[in-house]
Amino acid sequence: MFASQLLTAVSDPLNSQRFPGFDAKAARTTSAQQKAPTPALLQTRALTERTLDTWIQSTMQAERSRGLRALAGLYEANVGAEISANLWIKDTWVEELWDQGEFDKPETQLALLYLADVSSVDAKISGMMKKAGNGLVQELVRKGKNCKGGSVEAELADAAAVVLAKWTGVSATPAVSARTSAPDASAEASGIVELPDTDTVAEDADPIALADMHARRIIELASQKASDTNASAMQRAAEALGYLCLKPELKHHVSQNEQLLQALFSQAPKSNMAGLKFSAIMLARNLTQYRPVLSEEQKRMRQLQKIGSRAQQQQKPQKKGETLSEVLADEDESEYDSAENVSRRSVTVCKAGCLALLVSAVQPGAHPSDSLKDAVAEVLVSLATTQSLRGLLVQQGGVRALLSITTADAPKATQKSSQSSTSPPMPQAMRQPRDRHIAFALAKIAISVPPHLAFPDPRHIVRLLLALLAEESEPQAL
Protein backbone atom coordinates (compact mmCIF):
# COMPACT_ATOMS: atom_id res chain seq x y z
CA MET A 1 0.00 0.00 0.00
CA PHE A 2 2.78 2.40 0.92
CA ALA A 3 4.65 1.66 -2.32
CA SER A 4 1.50 2.41 -4.34
CA GLN A 5 0.89 5.68 -2.48
CA LEU A 6 4.55 6.61 -2.82
CA LEU A 7 4.54 6.08 -6.58
CA THR A 8 1.33 8.07 -6.96
CA ALA A 9 2.68 10.94 -4.90
CA VAL A 10 5.98 11.28 -6.70
CA SER A 11 4.50 10.84 -10.17
CA ASP A 12 1.61 13.25 -9.59
CA PRO A 13 2.51 15.51 -6.63
CA LEU A 14 0.10 18.17 -7.82
CA ASN A 15 -2.85 15.74 -7.78
CA SER A 16 -3.64 16.72 -11.36
CA GLN A 17 -5.92 13.72 -11.90
CA ARG A 18 -8.70 15.71 -10.25
CA PHE A 19 -8.45 18.39 -12.92
CA PRO A 20 -9.04 17.23 -16.54
CA GLY A 21 -6.90 19.13 -19.04
CA PHE A 22 -4.37 20.15 -16.42
CA ASP A 23 -0.79 19.78 -17.67
CA ALA A 24 1.01 18.43 -14.61
CA LYS A 25 4.35 18.06 -16.43
CA ALA A 26 4.36 21.71 -17.47
CA ALA A 27 3.30 22.75 -14.00
CA ARG A 28 6.13 20.77 -12.42
CA THR A 29 8.62 22.33 -14.83
CA THR A 30 7.34 25.83 -14.13
CA SER A 31 7.30 25.20 -10.41
CA ALA A 32 10.87 23.89 -10.45
CA GLN A 33 12.04 26.93 -12.37
CA GLN A 34 10.37 29.31 -9.96
CA LYS A 35 11.65 27.97 -6.62
CA ALA A 36 13.93 25.43 -5.00
CA PRO A 37 12.51 22.34 -3.26
CA THR A 38 10.89 23.12 0.06
CA PRO A 39 12.25 21.60 3.30
CA ALA A 40 9.13 19.44 3.51
CA LEU A 41 9.78 18.03 0.02
CA LEU A 42 13.43 17.38 0.83
CA GLN A 43 12.38 15.60 4.01
CA THR A 44 9.92 13.46 2.02
CA ARG A 45 12.63 12.51 -0.45
CA ALA A 46 15.00 11.56 2.37
CA LEU A 47 12.29 9.42 3.98
CA THR A 48 11.58 7.77 0.63
CA GLU A 49 15.25 6.94 0.11
CA ARG A 50 15.60 5.50 3.61
CA THR A 51 12.48 3.37 3.15
CA LEU A 52 13.62 2.05 -0.23
CA ASP A 53 17.11 1.36 1.09
CA THR A 54 15.73 -0.55 4.07
CA TRP A 55 13.54 -2.69 1.83
CA ILE A 56 16.24 -3.37 -0.76
CA GLN A 57 18.89 -4.27 1.84
CA SER A 58 16.48 -6.57 3.68
CA THR A 59 17.22 -10.29 3.96
CA MET A 60 13.48 -10.96 3.59
CA GLN A 61 12.92 -11.79 -0.06
CA ALA A 62 9.38 -10.40 -0.24
CA GLU A 63 10.50 -7.08 1.27
CA ARG A 64 13.58 -6.82 -0.96
CA SER A 65 11.50 -7.57 -4.06
CA ARG A 66 9.00 -4.90 -3.02
CA GLY A 67 11.79 -2.35 -2.64
CA LEU A 68 13.33 -3.16 -6.04
CA ARG A 69 9.97 -2.90 -7.79
CA ALA A 70 9.10 0.34 -5.96
CA LEU A 71 12.39 1.90 -7.09
CA ALA A 72 11.77 0.64 -10.62
CA GLY A 73 8.31 2.21 -10.46
CA LEU A 74 9.90 5.59 -9.77
CA TYR A 75 11.85 5.26 -13.01
CA GLU A 76 8.68 4.25 -14.85
CA ALA A 77 7.18 7.52 -13.56
CA ASN A 78 10.27 9.45 -14.77
CA VAL A 79 11.19 10.61 -11.27
CA GLY A 80 13.66 7.88 -10.32
CA ALA A 81 16.85 9.89 -10.84
CA GLU A 82 15.41 12.82 -8.89
CA ILE A 83 14.00 10.88 -5.94
CA SER A 84 16.68 8.21 -5.48
CA ALA A 85 19.86 10.08 -6.44
CA ASN A 86 21.58 9.62 -3.07
CA LEU A 87 21.14 5.84 -3.14
CA TRP A 88 23.28 5.40 -6.23
CA ILE A 89 26.26 7.33 -4.83
CA LYS A 90 26.46 5.40 -1.57
CA ASP A 91 29.70 3.43 -1.30
CA THR A 92 29.33 -0.15 -2.60
CA TRP A 93 25.52 0.18 -2.82
CA VAL A 94 25.35 -0.90 -6.46
CA GLU A 95 27.87 -3.71 -5.95
CA GLU A 96 25.91 -5.05 -2.98
CA LEU A 97 22.73 -4.85 -5.05
CA TRP A 98 24.15 -7.43 -7.47
CA ASP A 99 26.20 -9.42 -4.95
CA GLN A 100 23.02 -10.20 -3.04
CA GLY A 101 21.18 -10.74 -6.33
CA GLU A 102 23.25 -13.87 -6.96
CA PHE A 103 21.59 -15.55 -3.95
CA ASP A 104 18.10 -14.11 -4.42
CA LYS A 105 15.08 -16.22 -5.28
CA PRO A 106 13.88 -16.06 -8.91
CA GLU A 107 11.05 -13.62 -8.11
CA THR A 108 13.51 -11.20 -6.50
CA GLN A 109 15.98 -11.63 -9.37
CA LEU A 110 13.18 -10.71 -11.78
CA ALA A 111 12.57 -7.55 -9.73
CA LEU A 112 16.28 -6.72 -9.90
CA LEU A 113 16.31 -7.25 -13.68
CA TYR A 114 13.20 -5.07 -13.96
CA LEU A 115 15.03 -2.29 -12.12
CA ALA A 116 18.04 -2.71 -14.42
CA ASP A 117 15.70 -2.58 -17.42
CA VAL A 118 13.80 0.60 -16.59
CA SER A 119 16.81 2.46 -15.15
CA SER A 120 18.81 1.84 -18.34
CA VAL A 121 17.33 5.00 -19.85
CA ASP A 122 19.77 6.91 -17.60
CA ALA A 123 23.17 6.44 -19.22
CA LYS A 124 25.16 7.01 -16.03
CA ILE A 125 23.14 4.63 -13.89
CA SER A 126 23.10 2.13 -16.75
CA GLY A 127 26.91 2.20 -16.77
CA MET A 128 27.06 1.63 -13.02
CA MET A 129 24.60 -1.26 -13.15
CA LYS A 130 26.39 -2.85 -16.08
CA LYS A 131 29.78 -2.77 -14.38
CA ALA A 132 28.41 -4.39 -11.24
CA GLY A 133 25.88 -6.80 -12.72
CA ASN A 134 27.15 -7.79 -16.16
CA GLY A 135 28.46 -11.16 -14.99
CA LEU A 136 25.28 -12.24 -13.19
CA VAL A 137 23.01 -11.10 -16.01
CA GLN A 138 25.01 -13.04 -18.58
CA GLU A 139 24.96 -16.11 -16.30
CA LEU A 140 21.15 -15.92 -16.07
CA VAL A 141 20.97 -15.83 -19.87
CA ARG A 142 23.20 -18.91 -20.14
CA LYS A 143 21.22 -20.86 -17.53
CA GLY A 144 17.91 -20.34 -19.28
CA LYS A 145 19.17 -20.69 -22.84
CA ASN A 146 17.89 -24.25 -23.35
CA CYS A 147 14.97 -24.18 -20.93
CA LYS A 148 11.38 -24.58 -22.05
CA GLY A 149 9.28 -21.48 -22.53
CA GLY A 150 7.17 -20.66 -19.50
CA SER A 151 9.70 -21.95 -16.98
CA VAL A 152 11.18 -19.64 -14.37
CA GLU A 153 14.65 -20.04 -15.87
CA ALA A 154 13.36 -19.11 -19.33
CA GLU A 155 11.58 -16.05 -17.93
CA LEU A 156 14.75 -14.95 -16.17
CA ALA A 157 16.76 -15.53 -19.34
CA ASP A 158 14.34 -13.42 -21.39
CA ALA A 159 14.47 -10.56 -18.89
CA ALA A 160 18.27 -10.78 -18.61
CA ALA A 161 18.71 -10.78 -22.40
CA VAL A 162 16.61 -7.61 -22.64
CA VAL A 163 18.79 -5.93 -20.00
CA LEU A 164 21.98 -6.88 -21.87
CA ALA A 165 20.54 -5.48 -25.10
CA LYS A 166 19.61 -2.19 -23.46
CA TRP A 167 22.99 -1.85 -21.80
CA THR A 168 24.60 -2.41 -25.20
CA GLY A 169 22.32 0.13 -26.88
CA VAL A 170 22.84 2.80 -24.23
CA SER A 171 26.62 2.47 -24.53
CA ALA A 172 26.33 2.76 -28.32
CA THR A 173 25.00 6.32 -28.35
CA PRO A 174 24.31 9.12 -25.86
CA ALA A 175 21.03 9.86 -27.65
CA VAL A 176 19.23 7.18 -25.64
CA SER A 177 19.67 9.13 -22.44
CA ALA A 178 17.41 11.85 -23.82
CA ARG A 179 14.53 9.91 -22.28
CA THR A 180 15.87 10.38 -18.76
CA SER A 181 14.02 12.66 -16.41
CA ALA A 182 17.12 14.49 -15.21
CA PRO A 183 19.37 16.50 -17.54
CA ASP A 184 23.14 16.37 -17.26
CA ALA A 185 23.25 19.40 -14.98
CA SER A 186 20.82 17.77 -12.56
CA ALA A 187 22.76 14.52 -12.65
CA GLU A 188 25.97 16.34 -11.77
CA ALA A 189 24.24 18.26 -9.02
CA SER A 190 22.88 15.03 -7.54
CA GLY A 191 26.38 13.62 -7.33
CA ILE A 192 25.78 10.59 -9.53
CA VAL A 193 29.12 9.31 -10.79
CA GLU A 194 30.24 6.29 -12.72
CA LEU A 195 32.20 3.54 -11.01
CA PRO A 196 35.99 3.68 -11.45
CA ASP A 197 37.33 2.19 -14.66
CA THR A 198 39.71 0.04 -12.63
CA ASP A 199 36.90 -2.27 -11.44
CA THR A 200 37.07 -5.84 -12.70
CA VAL A 201 34.00 -6.55 -14.78
CA ALA A 202 32.78 -9.35 -17.02
CA GLU A 203 33.37 -9.07 -20.73
CA ASP A 204 30.50 -7.59 -22.71
CA ALA A 205 28.06 -9.96 -24.35
CA ASP A 206 28.42 -10.33 -28.11
CA PRO A 207 25.85 -7.90 -29.62
CA ILE A 208 25.38 -10.08 -32.71
CA ALA A 209 24.63 -13.11 -30.55
CA LEU A 210 22.19 -11.05 -28.48
CA ALA A 211 20.39 -9.86 -31.61
CA ASP A 212 20.15 -13.41 -32.94
CA MET A 213 18.79 -14.61 -29.59
CA HIS A 214 15.98 -12.03 -29.60
CA ALA A 215 15.28 -12.68 -33.29
CA ARG A 216 14.86 -16.41 -32.64
CA ARG A 217 12.60 -15.62 -29.70
CA ILE A 218 10.29 -13.48 -31.85
CA ILE A 219 10.12 -16.09 -34.61
CA GLU A 220 9.37 -18.79 -32.04
CA LEU A 221 6.60 -16.73 -30.39
CA ALA A 222 5.05 -15.89 -33.78
CA SER A 223 4.65 -19.62 -34.51
CA GLN A 224 2.76 -20.20 -31.26
CA LYS A 225 -0.86 -19.53 -30.37
CA ALA A 226 -1.50 -15.84 -29.74
CA SER A 227 -1.80 -14.86 -26.09
CA ASP A 228 -1.13 -11.87 -23.88
CA THR A 229 1.85 -13.68 -22.36
CA ASN A 230 3.42 -14.31 -25.77
CA ALA A 231 2.65 -10.75 -26.90
CA SER A 232 4.36 -9.37 -23.81
CA ALA A 233 7.42 -11.56 -24.41
CA MET A 234 7.53 -10.49 -28.07
CA GLN A 235 7.31 -6.85 -27.01
CA ARG A 236 10.33 -7.21 -24.74
CA ALA A 237 12.33 -8.95 -27.48
CA ALA A 238 11.38 -6.28 -30.05
CA GLU A 239 12.28 -3.51 -27.61
CA ALA A 240 15.66 -5.14 -27.01
CA LEU A 241 16.31 -5.34 -30.76
CA GLY A 242 15.40 -1.68 -31.05
CA TYR A 243 18.10 -0.78 -28.54
CA LEU A 244 20.65 -3.02 -30.24
CA CYS A 245 19.86 -1.42 -33.59
CA LEU A 246 21.25 1.86 -32.34
CA LYS A 247 24.56 0.32 -33.48
CA PRO A 248 24.97 0.72 -37.29
CA GLU A 249 26.45 -2.75 -37.81
CA LEU A 250 23.53 -4.34 -35.97
CA LYS A 251 21.02 -2.45 -38.10
CA HIS A 252 22.53 -4.15 -41.11
CA HIS A 253 22.59 -7.56 -39.42
CA VAL A 254 18.97 -7.42 -38.21
CA SER A 255 17.66 -6.14 -41.54
CA GLN A 256 19.06 -9.24 -43.25
CA ASN A 257 16.73 -11.46 -41.20
CA GLU A 258 13.59 -11.28 -43.32
CA GLN A 259 11.90 -14.07 -41.35
CA LEU A 260 12.24 -12.01 -38.18
CA LEU A 261 10.83 -8.83 -39.72
CA GLN A 262 7.91 -10.66 -41.35
CA ALA A 263 7.06 -12.42 -38.08
CA LEU A 264 7.15 -9.21 -36.05
CA PHE A 265 5.32 -6.96 -38.54
CA SER A 266 2.63 -9.57 -39.14
CA GLN A 267 1.96 -10.27 -35.45
CA ALA A 268 2.05 -6.71 -34.08
CA PRO A 269 -1.07 -5.41 -35.93
CA LYS A 270 -3.10 -8.40 -34.69
CA SER A 271 -2.26 -7.77 -31.05
CA ASN A 272 -4.32 -5.62 -28.71
CA MET A 273 -1.15 -4.71 -26.84
CA ALA A 274 -0.13 -1.17 -27.74
CA GLY A 275 3.36 -1.75 -26.36
CA LEU A 276 4.08 -4.46 -28.94
CA LYS A 277 3.06 -2.16 -31.79
CA PHE A 278 5.16 0.66 -30.40
CA SER A 279 8.24 -1.57 -29.96
CA ALA A 280 7.90 -2.91 -33.52
CA ILE A 281 7.54 0.62 -34.92
CA MET A 282 10.54 1.86 -32.94
CA LEU A 283 12.60 -1.00 -34.38
CA ALA A 284 11.50 0.05 -37.89
CA ARG A 285 12.39 3.65 -37.01
CA ASN A 286 15.92 2.72 -35.95
CA LEU A 287 16.42 0.59 -39.07
CA THR A 288 15.27 3.30 -41.49
CA GLN A 289 16.53 6.48 -39.82
CA TYR A 290 18.88 8.53 -41.97
CA ARG A 291 21.97 10.21 -40.59
CA PRO A 292 21.13 13.87 -39.86
CA VAL A 293 22.48 16.45 -42.27
CA LEU A 294 24.51 18.98 -40.30
CA SER A 295 25.48 22.53 -41.11
CA GLU A 296 29.15 23.45 -41.06
CA GLU A 297 28.72 25.08 -37.67
CA GLN A 298 27.04 21.98 -36.27
CA LYS A 299 29.83 19.80 -37.65
CA ARG A 300 32.45 21.98 -35.93
CA MET A 301 30.52 21.87 -32.64
CA ARG A 302 30.22 18.09 -32.83
CA GLN A 303 33.93 17.76 -33.55
CA LEU A 304 34.79 19.92 -30.54
CA GLN A 305 32.51 17.80 -28.35
CA LYS A 306 34.20 14.65 -29.64
CA ILE A 307 37.65 16.08 -28.89
CA GLY A 308 36.61 16.98 -25.34
CA SER A 309 34.97 13.60 -24.78
CA ARG A 310 38.02 11.79 -26.17
CA ALA A 311 40.36 13.71 -23.88
CA GLN A 312 38.21 12.97 -20.81
CA GLN A 313 37.57 9.28 -21.47
CA GLN A 314 41.02 8.53 -22.94
CA GLN A 315 39.56 6.43 -25.73
CA LYS A 316 41.47 4.33 -28.25
CA PRO A 317 44.82 5.84 -29.28
CA GLN A 318 45.43 7.22 -32.72
CA LYS A 319 47.26 5.20 -35.32
CA LYS A 320 50.66 6.42 -36.36
CA GLY A 321 50.34 9.17 -38.95
CA GLU A 322 46.60 9.53 -38.38
CA THR A 323 45.24 12.97 -37.57
CA LEU A 324 42.68 13.54 -34.84
CA SER A 325 40.12 14.84 -37.36
CA GLU A 326 40.45 11.59 -39.34
CA VAL A 327 39.86 9.52 -36.20
CA LEU A 328 36.79 11.58 -35.29
CA ALA A 329 35.44 11.26 -38.82
CA ASP A 330 35.83 7.48 -38.63
CA GLU A 331 33.94 7.41 -35.33
CA ASP A 332 31.05 9.45 -36.73
CA GLU A 333 30.74 7.86 -40.15
CA SER A 334 29.67 4.28 -40.78
CA GLU A 335 29.12 2.64 -44.12
CA TYR A 336 26.05 0.94 -42.66
CA ASP A 337 24.44 4.34 -42.11
CA SER A 338 25.09 5.60 -45.64
CA ALA A 339 22.05 6.81 -47.58
CA GLU A 340 22.28 3.80 -49.91
CA ASN A 341 22.22 1.28 -47.08
CA VAL A 342 19.39 3.05 -45.26
CA SER A 343 17.39 3.05 -48.49
CA ARG A 344 17.95 -0.70 -48.88
CA ARG A 345 16.78 -1.30 -45.33
CA SER A 346 13.70 0.81 -46.00
CA VAL A 347 12.81 -1.39 -48.96
CA THR A 348 13.36 -4.49 -46.82
CA VAL A 349 11.05 -3.39 -43.98
CA CYS A 350 8.35 -2.43 -46.49
CA LYS A 351 8.52 -5.87 -48.11
CA ALA A 352 8.23 -7.40 -44.63
CA GLY A 353 4.89 -5.66 -44.03
CA CYS A 354 5.87 -2.59 -42.02
CA LEU A 355 3.47 -0.27 -43.88
CA ALA A 356 0.41 -2.25 -42.81
CA LEU A 357 1.56 -1.97 -39.19
CA LEU A 358 2.14 1.79 -39.45
CA VAL A 359 -1.27 2.46 -40.99
CA SER A 360 -3.19 0.24 -38.56
CA ALA A 361 -1.40 1.67 -35.53
CA VAL A 362 -2.78 5.19 -36.09
CA GLN A 363 -6.35 4.28 -36.97
CA PRO A 364 -8.81 6.34 -34.85
CA GLY A 365 -10.14 3.20 -33.20
CA ALA A 366 -6.64 2.28 -32.03
CA HIS A 367 -6.39 5.43 -29.86
CA PRO A 368 -2.68 5.97 -30.60
CA SER A 369 -0.56 7.93 -28.15
CA ASP A 370 1.39 11.03 -29.17
CA SER A 371 4.65 9.08 -28.87
CA LEU A 372 3.39 6.44 -31.27
CA LYS A 373 2.17 9.09 -33.73
CA ASP A 374 5.59 10.76 -33.60
CA ALA A 375 7.32 7.43 -34.30
CA VAL A 376 4.99 6.66 -37.23
CA ALA A 377 5.66 10.07 -38.77
CA GLU A 378 9.43 9.55 -38.45
CA VAL A 379 9.29 6.14 -40.12
CA LEU A 380 7.07 7.34 -42.96
CA VAL A 381 9.27 10.33 -43.77
CA SER A 382 12.27 7.98 -43.91
CA LEU A 383 10.42 5.57 -46.21
CA ALA A 384 9.30 8.45 -48.44
CA THR A 385 12.94 9.38 -48.97
CA THR A 386 13.32 6.27 -51.15
CA GLN A 387 11.74 7.20 -54.47
CA SER A 388 10.69 3.64 -55.37
CA LEU A 389 8.55 3.39 -52.22
CA ARG A 390 6.47 6.54 -52.71
CA GLY A 391 3.84 4.91 -54.89
CA LEU A 392 3.56 2.06 -52.40
CA LEU A 393 3.01 4.57 -49.61
CA VAL A 394 0.06 6.01 -51.50
CA GLN A 395 -1.40 2.61 -52.37
CA GLN A 396 -1.23 1.23 -48.83
CA GLY A 397 -2.68 4.24 -47.04
CA GLY A 398 0.47 6.02 -45.95
CA VAL A 399 -0.81 9.45 -47.04
CA ARG A 400 -4.09 9.01 -45.15
CA ALA A 401 -2.14 7.91 -42.09
CA LEU A 402 0.08 10.99 -42.28
CA LEU A 403 -2.84 13.39 -42.62
CA SER A 404 -4.66 11.72 -39.73
CA ILE A 405 -1.85 12.37 -37.22
CA THR A 406 -1.19 16.06 -37.86
CA THR A 407 -1.35 18.06 -34.64
CA ALA A 408 -3.86 20.77 -33.83
CA ASP A 409 -1.17 23.35 -34.67
CA ALA A 410 -0.73 22.12 -38.26
CA PRO A 411 -2.08 24.39 -41.02
CA LYS A 412 -5.39 23.08 -42.33
CA ALA A 413 -7.04 23.53 -45.70
CA THR A 414 -9.75 26.21 -45.50
CA GLN A 415 -12.70 26.89 -47.75
CA LYS A 416 -12.67 30.46 -49.02
CA SER A 417 -15.92 32.20 -48.21
CA SER A 418 -17.86 33.58 -51.19
CA GLN A 419 -18.61 36.69 -49.16
CA SER A 420 -14.98 37.37 -48.37
CA SER A 421 -12.67 39.01 -50.89
CA THR A 422 -9.54 38.44 -48.85
CA SER A 423 -7.38 35.34 -49.08
CA PRO A 424 -6.72 33.24 -46.00
CA PRO A 425 -3.54 34.21 -44.15
CA MET A 426 -0.29 32.50 -45.04
CA PRO A 427 0.54 29.59 -42.72
CA GLN A 428 3.14 30.25 -40.05
CA ALA A 429 6.21 28.11 -39.40
CA MET A 430 5.67 24.64 -37.97
CA ARG A 431 5.43 24.44 -34.20
CA GLN A 432 5.56 20.67 -33.81
CA PRO A 433 8.35 18.36 -35.08
CA ARG A 434 5.74 15.79 -36.07
CA ASP A 435 4.09 18.25 -38.47
CA ARG A 436 7.47 18.96 -40.06
CA HIS A 437 8.05 15.25 -40.63
CA ILE A 438 4.59 14.90 -42.14
CA ALA A 439 5.08 17.90 -44.42
CA PHE A 440 8.45 16.61 -45.63
CA ALA A 441 7.01 13.14 -46.28
CA LEU A 442 4.07 14.53 -48.28
CA ALA A 443 6.36 16.83 -50.22
CA LYS A 444 8.60 13.91 -51.20
CA ILE A 445 5.56 11.90 -52.29
CA ALA A 446 4.25 14.84 -54.32
CA ILE A 447 7.50 14.88 -56.30
CA SER A 448 6.91 11.37 -57.63
CA VAL A 449 3.12 10.90 -57.56
CA PRO A 450 0.61 13.30 -59.21
CA PRO A 451 -1.10 15.26 -56.41
CA HIS A 452 -4.62 14.45 -57.66
CA LEU A 453 -3.80 10.75 -57.25
CA ALA A 454 -1.85 10.99 -54.02
CA PHE A 455 -3.95 13.38 -51.92
CA PRO A 456 -7.68 13.45 -51.16
CA ASP A 457 -7.48 17.25 -51.02
CA PRO A 458 -4.36 18.86 -52.59
CA ARG A 459 -4.92 21.96 -50.47
CA HIS A 460 -3.61 20.00 -47.46
CA ILE A 461 -0.21 19.59 -49.04
CA VAL A 462 -0.14 23.19 -50.31
CA ARG A 463 -0.64 24.75 -46.89
CA LEU A 464 1.81 22.34 -45.25
CA LEU A 465 4.43 23.24 -47.86
CA LEU A 466 3.78 26.95 -47.32
CA ALA A 467 4.38 26.41 -43.62
CA LEU A 468 7.72 24.79 -44.45
CA LEU A 469 8.64 27.79 -46.59
CA ALA A 470 7.90 30.05 -43.64
CA GLU A 471 10.75 28.44 -41.74
CA GLU A 472 14.37 29.33 -42.08
CA SER A 473 16.28 27.15 -44.53
CA GLU A 474 18.10 24.18 -42.98
CA PRO A 475 20.50 21.53 -44.28
CA GLN A 476 17.82 18.84 -43.85
CA ALA A 477 16.11 19.85 -47.09
CA LEU A 478 14.00 17.93 -49.58
Side-chain angles (χ1 to χ4, degrees):
M1 175 66 73
F2 177 77
S4 175
Q5 292 174 342
L6 171 64
L7 181 56
T8 301
V10 297
S11 62
D12 189 16
L14 300 174
N15 197 18
S16 60
Q17 294 177 354
R18 294 177 54 195
F19 307 98
F22 179 73
D23 189 345
K25 183 177 179 181
R28 282 196 295 268
T29 303
T30 304
S31 176
Q33 292 173 345
Q34 290 177 346
K35 59 181 180 180
T38 63
L41 180 57
L42 292 174
Q43 185 178 6
T44 301
R45 290 178 181 173
L47 175 61
T48 301
E49 287 180 335
R50 285 199 301 271
T51 302
L52 289 173
D53 194 24
T54 300
W55 286 349
I56 291 172
Q57 299 296 336
S58 173
T59 57
M60 303 291 292
Q61 289 290 290
E63 195 166 281
R64 175 170 162 81
S65 179
R66 182 199 311 151
L68 292 169
R69 290 192 177 277
L71 180 54
L74 294 177
Y75 277 92
E76 285 281 16
N78 290 324
V79 293
E82 179 183 1
I83 297 295
S84 63
N86 292 327
L87 290 178
W88 298 103
I89 60 175
K90 291 178 64 175
D91 288 342
T92 70
W93 191 80
V94 177
E95 295 95 323
E96 291 173 1
L97 199 66
W98 289 99
D99 288 344
Q100 189 172 342
E102 185 176 353
F103 305 99
D104 283 334
K105 292 183 178 179
E107 179 61 33
T108 308
Q109 288 180 330
L110 280 173
L112 179 56
L113 291 171
Y114 176 48
L115 173 60
D117 184 340
V118 297
S119 66
S120 64
V121 296
D122 188 311
K124 290 188 176 181
I125 291 178
S126 175
M128 297 169 70
M129 294 285 273
K130 179 180 178 181
K131 288 179 180 179
N134 200 15
L136 176 58
V137 176
Q138 291 193 46
E139 180 63 23
L140 291 174
V141 172
R142 284 192 290 269
K143 284 183 178 179
K145 192 172 183 180
N146 298 319
C147 295
K148 291 183 178 181
S151 65
V152 175
E153 292 80 6
E155 188 177 1
L156 279 169
D158 278 349
V162 171
V163 170
L164 288 178
K166 289 192 174 183
W167 282 348
T168 302
V170 170
S171 64
T173 171
V176 180
S177 61
R179 293 175 52 194
T180 61
S181 57
D184 290 343
S186 300
E188 292 175 2
S190 68
I192 295 178
V193 294
E194 294 190 37
L195 297 179
D197 290 337
T198 55
D199 287 350
T200 302
V201 296
E203 292 185 4
D204 287 347
D206 179 11
I208 297 292
L210 277 175
D212 290 341
M213 182 190 306
H214 290 296
R216 287 193 299 270
R217 183 65 170 143
I218 290 174
I219 295 170
E220 175 191 356
L221 290 167
S223 65
Q224 299 174 1
K225 185 178 179 180
S227 68
D228 290 344
T229 301
N230 285 351
S232 180
M234 186 178 291
Q235 174 192 338
R236 291 194 298 271
E239 186 179 0
L241 279 176
Y243 270 78
L244 288 170
C245 284
L246 293 169
K247 287 178 171 286
E249 61 272 20
L250 286 175
K251 295 180 186 181
H252 175 75
H253 180 75
V254 170
S255 67
Q256 301 300 305
N257 194 335
E258 295 183 8
Q259 186 181 6
L260 156 70
L261 297 177
Q262 289 172 359
L264 180 59
F265 294 147
S266 64
Q267 292 298 312
K270 301 174 185 177
S271 173
N272 294 325
M273 188 172 291
L276 174 56
K277 295 179 182 178
F278 184 75
S279 296
I281 290 171
M282 289 303 292
L283 173 59
R285 171 188 174 274
N286 289 346
L287 290 175
T288 60
Q289 193 171 39
Y290 283 82
R291 192 162 45 212
V293 180
L294 303 177
S295 65
E296 290 301 320
E297 181 180 358
Q298 290 172 323
K299 289 179 181 178
R300 286 194 296 271
M301 288 298 297
R302 172 169 288 191
Q303 193 173 47
L304 289 173
Q305 290 173 350
K306 283 283 186 181
I307 292 173
S309 175
R310 188 183 183 87
Q312 282 186 342
Q313 299 177 9
Q314 296 182 352
Q315 294 177 349
K316 60 181 182 180
Q318 296 168 223
K319 299 176 184 178
K320 188 174 181 179
E322 188 177 36
T323 66
L324 182 58
S325 60
E326 289 172 341
V327 174
L328 295 176
D330 289 341
E331 292 177 351
D332 277 340
E333 303 294 329
S334 169
E335 60 174 328
Y336 296 119
D337 268 346
S338 66
E340 294 79 8
N341 279 315
V342 177
S343 181
R344 291 191 194 100
R345 291 200 295 267
S346 297
V347 172
T348 299
V349 299
C350 279
K351 288 182 178 178
C354 178
L355 272 176
L357 168 62
L358 296 173
V359 173
S360 65
V362 294
Q363 294 295 326
H367 306 293
S369 65
D370 285 338
S371 297
L372 190 144
K373 291 178 182 178
D374 292 341
V376 168
E378 291 182 42
V379 176
L380 287 175
V381 72
S382 294
L383 297 181
T385 303
T386 301
Q387 185 174 352
S388 62
L389 297 178
R390 293 169 186 170
L392 193 63
L393 284 170
V394 174
Q395 293 172 10
Q396 297 196 11
V399 170
R400 291 194 302 274
L402 286 166
L403 292 174
S404 70
I405 59 175
T406 54
T407 70
D409 293 329
K412 302 293 192 298
T414 56
Q415 294 284 355
K416 184 177 178 180
S417 173
S418 58
Q419 299 177 353
S420 174
S421 59
T422 60
S423 300
M426 289 286 288
Q428 297 180 347
M430 299 286 188
R431 296 181 183 178
Q432 305 293 339
R434 188 200 311 164
D435 292 330
R436 295 190 77 249
H437 289 136
I438 292 170
F440 274 122
L442 295 175
K444 294 173 190 288
I445 292 171
I447 293 173
S448 302
V449 183
H452 69 281
L453 297 177
F455 311 114
D457 188 343
R459 290 174 301 164
H460 284 293
I461 181 67
V462 170
R463 294 192 64 77
L464 285 168
L465 288 178
L466 289 174
L468 282 180
L469 292 174
E471 300 182 357
E472 296 182 2
S473 59
E474 294 185 3
Q476 191 91 25
L478 297 176

